[in-house]
PDB file of all heavy atoms in Angstrom:
ATOM      1  N   LEU N 220      98.687  97.032  87.538  1.00  0.00           N
ATOM      2  CA  LEU N 220      98.897  98.453  87.791  1.00  0.00           C
ATOM      3  C   LEU N 220     100.358  98.785  87.499  1.00  0.00           C
ATOM      4  O   LEU N 220     101.240  98.632  88.340  1.00  0.00           O
ATOM      5  CB  LEU N 220      98.546  98.797  89.247  1.00  0.00           C
ATOM      6  CG  LEU N 220      97.066  98.767  89.611  1.00  0.00           C
ATOM      7  CD1 LEU N 220      96.872  99.078  91.088  1.00  0.00           C
ATOM      8  CD2 LEU N 220      96.271  99.755  88.763  1.00  0.00           C
ATOM      9  N   LYS N 221     100.609  99.229  86.266  1.00  0.00           N
ATOM     10  CA  LYS N 221     101.958  99.545  85.829  1.00  0.00           C
ATOM     11  C   LYS N 221     101.964 100.895  85.128  1.00  0.00           C
ATOM     12  O   LYS N 221     101.101 101.179  84.301  1.00  0.00           O
ATOM     13  CB  LYS N 221     102.477  98.461  84.873  1.00  0.00           C
ATOM     14  CG  LYS N 221     102.569  97.075  85.501  1.00  0.00           C
ATOM     15  CD  LYS N 221     103.073  96.045  84.504  1.00  0.00           C
ATOM     16  CE  LYS N 221     103.153  94.667  85.123  1.00  0.00           C
ATOM     17  NZ  LYS N 221     103.638  93.648  84.164  1.00  0.00           N
ATOM     18  N   GLN N 222     102.941 101.706  85.460  1.00  0.00           N
ATOM     19  CA  GLN N 222     103.046 103.024  84.849  1.00  0.00           C
ATOM     20  C   GLN N 222     103.596 102.890  83.428  1.00  0.00           C
ATOM     21  O   GLN N 222     104.708 102.406  83.220  1.00  0.00           O
ATOM     22  CB  GLN N 222     103.972 103.897  85.699  1.00  0.00           C
ATOM     23  CG  GLN N 222     103.819 105.384  85.451  1.00  0.00           C
ATOM     24  CD  GLN N 222     104.634 106.190  86.437  1.00  0.00           C
ATOM     25  OE1 GLN N 222     105.768 105.851  86.750  1.00  0.00           O
ATOM     26  NE2 GLN N 222     104.067 107.274  86.930  1.00  0.00           N
ATOM     27  N   ALA N 223     102.794 103.293  82.456  1.00  0.00           N
ATOM     28  CA  ALA N 223     103.217 103.193  81.057  1.00  0.00           C
ATOM     29  C   ALA N 223     104.323 104.205  80.762  1.00  0.00           C
ATOM     30  O   ALA N 223     104.282 105.334  81.252  1.00  0.00           O
ATOM     31  CB  ALA N 223     102.026 103.438  80.134  1.00  0.00           C
ATOM     32  N   PRO N 224     105.317 103.819  79.969  1.00  0.00           N
ATOM     33  CA  PRO N 224     106.387 104.763  79.632  1.00  0.00           C
ATOM     34  C   PRO N 224     105.889 105.854  78.692  1.00  0.00           C
ATOM     35  O   PRO N 224     104.971 105.632  77.902  1.00  0.00           O
ATOM     36  CB  PRO N 224     107.425 103.872  78.943  1.00  0.00           C
ATOM     37  CG  PRO N 224     106.629 102.729  78.373  1.00  0.00           C
ATOM     38  CD  PRO N 224     105.516 102.494  79.355  1.00  0.00           C
ATOM     39  N   LEU N 225     106.497 107.019  78.805  1.00  0.00           N
ATOM     40  CA  LEU N 225     106.159 108.107  77.891  1.00  0.00           C
ATOM     41  C   LEU N 225     106.809 107.862  76.533  1.00  0.00           C
ATOM     42  O   LEU N 225     107.864 107.227  76.449  1.00  0.00           O
ATOM     43  CB  LEU N 225     106.662 109.439  78.453  1.00  0.00           C
ATOM     44  CG  LEU N 225     105.995 109.953  79.732  1.00  0.00           C
ATOM     45  CD1 LEU N 225     106.676 111.236  80.189  1.00  0.00           C
ATOM     46  CD2 LEU N 225     104.519 110.190  79.526  1.00  0.00           C
ATOM     47  N   PRO N 226     106.190 108.342  75.444  1.00  0.00           N
ATOM     48  CA  PRO N 226     106.828 108.217  74.125  1.00  0.00           C
ATOM     49  C   PRO N 226     108.192 108.885  74.116  1.00  0.00           C
ATOM     50  O   PRO N 226     108.435 109.832  74.869  1.00  0.00           O
ATOM     51  CB  PRO N 226     105.844 108.948  73.197  1.00  0.00           C
ATOM     52  CG  PRO N 226     104.536 108.913  73.919  1.00  0.00           C
ATOM     53  CD  PRO N 226     104.871 108.995  75.383  1.00  0.00           C
ATOM     54  N   GLU N 227     109.085 108.381  73.282  1.00  0.00           N
ATOM     55  CA  GLU N 227     110.450 108.915  73.248  1.00  0.00           C
ATOM     56  C   GLU N 227     110.490 110.392  72.902  1.00  0.00           C
ATOM     57  O   GLU N 227     111.398 111.108  73.308  1.00  0.00           O
ATOM     58  CB  GLU N 227     111.290 108.121  72.242  1.00  0.00           C
ATOM     59  CG  GLU N 227     111.517 106.670  72.648  1.00  0.00           C
ATOM     60  CD  GLU N 227     112.390 105.937  71.658  1.00  0.00           C
ATOM     61  OE1 GLU N 227     112.815 106.582  70.667  1.00  0.00           O
ATOM     62  OE2 GLU N 227     112.656 104.742  71.860  1.00  0.00           O
ATOM     63  N   THR N 228     109.501 110.848  72.149  1.00  0.00           N
ATOM     64  CA  THR N 228     109.490 112.256  71.739  1.00  0.00           C
ATOM     65  C   THR N 228     108.920 113.176  72.812  1.00  0.00           C
ATOM     66  O   THR N 228     108.919 114.388  72.662  1.00  0.00           O
ATOM     67  CB  THR N 228     108.645 112.429  70.460  1.00  0.00           C
ATOM     68  OG1 THR N 228     107.327 111.895  70.694  1.00  0.00           O
ATOM     69  CG2 THR N 228     109.275 111.687  69.305  1.00  0.00           C
ATOM     70  N   THR N 229     108.422 112.593  73.893  1.00  0.00           N
ATOM     71  CA  THR N 229     107.819 113.386  74.961  1.00  0.00           C
ATOM     72  C   THR N 229     108.844 113.651  76.050  1.00  0.00           C
ATOM     73  O   THR N 229     109.577 112.756  76.466  1.00  0.00           O
ATOM     74  CB  THR N 229     106.608 112.655  75.573  1.00  0.00           C
ATOM     75  OG1 THR N 229     105.682 112.365  74.538  1.00  0.00           O
ATOM     76  CG2 THR N 229     105.939 113.509  76.643  1.00  0.00           C
ATOM     77  N   THR N 230     108.895 114.883  76.508  1.00  0.00           N
ATOM     78  CA  THR N 230     109.800 115.237  77.593  1.00  0.00           C
ATOM     79  C   THR N 230     109.246 114.738  78.912  1.00  0.00           C
ATOM     80  O   THR N 230     108.098 115.009  79.261  1.00  0.00           O
ATOM     81  CB  THR N 230     109.981 116.771  77.672  1.00  0.00           C
ATOM     82  OG1 THR N 230     110.468 117.241  76.417  1.00  0.00           O
ATOM     83  CG2 THR N 230     110.958 117.141  78.770  1.00  0.00           C
ATOM     84  N   THR N 231     110.054 114.000  79.633  1.00  0.00           N
ATOM     85  CA  THR N 231     109.619 113.474  80.925  1.00  0.00           C
ATOM     86  C   THR N 231     109.483 114.610  81.931  1.00  0.00           C
ATOM     87  O   THR N 231     110.426 115.384  82.119  1.00  0.00           O
ATOM     88  CB  THR N 231     110.639 112.455  81.471  1.00  0.00           C
ATOM     89  OG1 THR N 231     110.819 111.430  80.497  1.00  0.00           O
ATOM     90  CG2 THR N 231     110.155 111.860  82.778  1.00  0.00           C
TER      91      THR N 231
END
Side-chain angles (χ1 to χ4, degrees):
L220 289 178
K221 298 179 181 180
Q222 199 173 42
L225 293 176
E227 294 182 0
T228 55
T229 304
T230 303
T231 304

